[in-house]
Every structure is written in C-alpha cells, then in structure tokens.
Amino acid sequence: MIATKAYAAQSKTTPLTPFDFSRRAPGAHDVQIEILYCGVCHSDIHQVRDEWGGSIYPMVPGHEIVGRITKVGDHVKNFKVGDLAGVGCFVDSCRVCPNCLSGEEQYCDNGMVGTYNGREKDGTPTYGGYSTQIVVDEKYTLKISDKLPLHAVAPLLCAGITTYSPLKHVGVKKGQRVGVLGLGGLGHMAVKFAVSFGAEVTMLSSSISKEADAKKLGAHHFALTSDAETMKKLNNHFDVILNTVSAPHEYATYLDLLRTNGTMIVVGVPPKPSEVPAFNLIMKRRSIIGSLIGGIRETQEMLDYCAEHNIVSEVEVINIQQINEAYERMLKNDVRYRFVIDIASLK
Ligand code: NAP
Ligand code: ZN
Ligand code: ZN
C-alpha cells in the first residue's frame, strides 16, 4: 500500500482538510503517478456539497490530474518511469458494453468508475487528484506532451475534453456561428476550441467585466446576457450554443437565439432543472443535447491537438491550503479562468 497525502471533505457541510490514506500498490497493468498539478472543476464543488446526491465521504476531489510516472506494473506497455501522464474524470469502466467498445467509456452502460466519488469494481471508494499520487490502469491514463506548461495543461483533462468533444460531435466549422454561454473554466476552453475550428464565436456572459478577456481568448463578439436589447438582436442567430453555466437559468431564453436546425449543447449542470417549452424547439426545429466529458481516445486526440496548436488553459495556480477560499471565489464567479493546485504544497 502507498501512503498518500490529500485534502478531503468529511461531509457536505465541512471545509476540505488534510487527510492521509493508502492507495493500492500498482498491479500488472497499473501505473503509479506522482501528481504535480490538479485543476479545480466546478463539479468538485457540486459533489463536495452533495448537490447531485449520493456523495461518498470522505471525498478527495480532483479529476484534472497531471504528473510523472514513478512506477509501472509488469504488463504495462505504453508508459515508462519518468513519462508525463494525465488522468481525467474516470479511472475504469466495464470495458465490454457497446459504449466502452466504441471508445466512449464515459457513457459506459454499467457506469464508468469516477476518478473520485466513485467505487472501484471491488467496492473501494475512489479518491481524486487533490493528493500526492494516484494508481491507475494504463488504459485510462493519458499521454502528456512536454511541449506545454504542465500547470496549464491540467484543466484540459476535464474542461478541455468536455468542450472539445461536443463541438467536434456537432461538426463545428468555418462559416458557423457559435455562442458560448458562461465564461468560466469550461467556457474559456470552449471559446479557444470553437475559434480554432474556424467558427465565428460570440461570448454570452452575465459578467460585463469579462468582455476584454473574452476578446483576448479569441471571441469575435461579446454579448451581455442581461442586456435585453443585445439579446433581442441575437434571436435566430447561432448554429450552436455551448451552455456551460453552473447556476440555475432559463434554457428557453437561449434556445431562442438558435437559428433553424440550431443546437444547444448542455454541459453545465445547474443544481435545479430548467423548463424546455415545446414552442421554443418546434418553431425552428431546434435541438437540445447533453454531452459528458469524452472517451479516452478522444481525450488523447484533444491533448495532441492542443500540443500541436499551442492551446492551454488560463490558470491561477494555488496552494492546497487555499482550496476552500478558491471554492468560495468560484461561487462568487471570481475565477480567471481555472484554479490549479500546485501539489508540491501538499508534500
Ligand atoms: P465555473 O468555472 O465556475 O464557470 C461557470 C460560469 O457560469 C461562470 O464563469 C459564469 O460565467 C456562469 N454563470 C452564470 N450565472 C452564474 C451564477 N449565478 N453564478 C456563478 N456562475 C454563473 O464552472 P466550470 O468548472 O466551467 O463548470 C461549469 C459547469 O459544467 C458546472 O456545472 C460543472 O459541474 C459542469 N461540468 C460538466 C461536465 C460535463 O461533462 N458535462 C464536465 C465538467 C463540468 P459568466 O460570468 O460569463 O456568466
Ligand atoms: Zn470536471
Ligand atoms: Zn462499459
């Protein structure tokens, strides 16, 4: 067993505090990774506070993990000691259902094993990346290029793939108009990818203070969602809207911004449902779809794409001791645009 230092939530109402536990020794197909950086996703807050129900405590959050391999099992083929490696939102899945076989393990019919707040096949709770090391089957481990700054790569493992995957799925390309709703961790990656795929991108934000940043990220236009006049002008405008908002809001308002056959992709998970009135869909044959992170193959494709096109996340590096304050700041919409924990502060 491997002694591991971490920060954990002991209940949905308590702050994260230091927590020591043991990881399994690496099996034949496992790699052991010394974690260097871990991004802070809004899903960490939802789950720590049990906003989705069924949270398991103690909970060590963190699913945007990058580090270096310190040990490999006897049958590991694709990694060696010293390699950079990444771990995203899941560490296992059934491997035999149609979704696993087609490389979309995130939709595993038998339930993927979450990197944290999940259970391994033997029932052991999983603990995430706010910790000094992790042991993962090589099949669920990503290769990380040494071309990009590691702290800025970490958020690609969730915020990156969650926005890359659906933009690819709906075929975003040059000549299309894409609206990104919500400029946070996911939203800022969505802007970078949509611009990189050649679309004309509008940032739809509730924060006027983010206008200059949106433009710096590459957005061609900025629209303040509380400005009724601006919103009216954008009626029937977009081919695609990628909705990343974490707080309750009306989907109907934004469906109206889609042109005929337009699609709203929902990736944000507000704690309360929103109504979807039939008329907002049928009058322009609009669709609304959801999307969950991405499979291992596509995550690797995204990481390679980012290395090739020099795409990384905009981050504020924090020490683990600042994590509770970072959560409060995210809830106050005060993050530009991803907190990343320097895991050296845990050692
Ligand atoms: P985040 O960094 O906190 O960003 C959320 C954004 O929502 C904010 O930056 C803000 O943008 C906007 N917002 C609008 N109204 C708000 C309000 N009342 N309070 C706070 N923010 C408000 O969060 P994130 O990490 O990008 O995650 C976004 C959501 O996606 C979360 O619900 C998360 O759980 C979910 N998620 C889903 C997946 C998936 O696979 N589907 C993966 C990862 C995360 P503006 O200031 O521009 O309005
Ligand atoms: Zn996440
Ligand atoms: Zn499966």
Side-chain angles (χ1 to χ4, degrees), residues 93-111 140 295 297:
S93 63
C94 86
R95 307 177 188 212
V96 294
C97 76
N99 290 323
C100 283
L101 292 175
S102 69
E104 296 204 297
E105 303 91 346
Q106 76 276 27
Y107 301 126
C108 175
D109 290 337
N110 297 300
Y140 295 82
R297 189 180 57 225

Side-chain angles (χ1 to χ4, degrees), residues 41 43 63-64 89 158 338:
C41 179
S43 303
H63 58 207
E64 293 183 338
C89 299
C158 175
R338 198 57 139 189

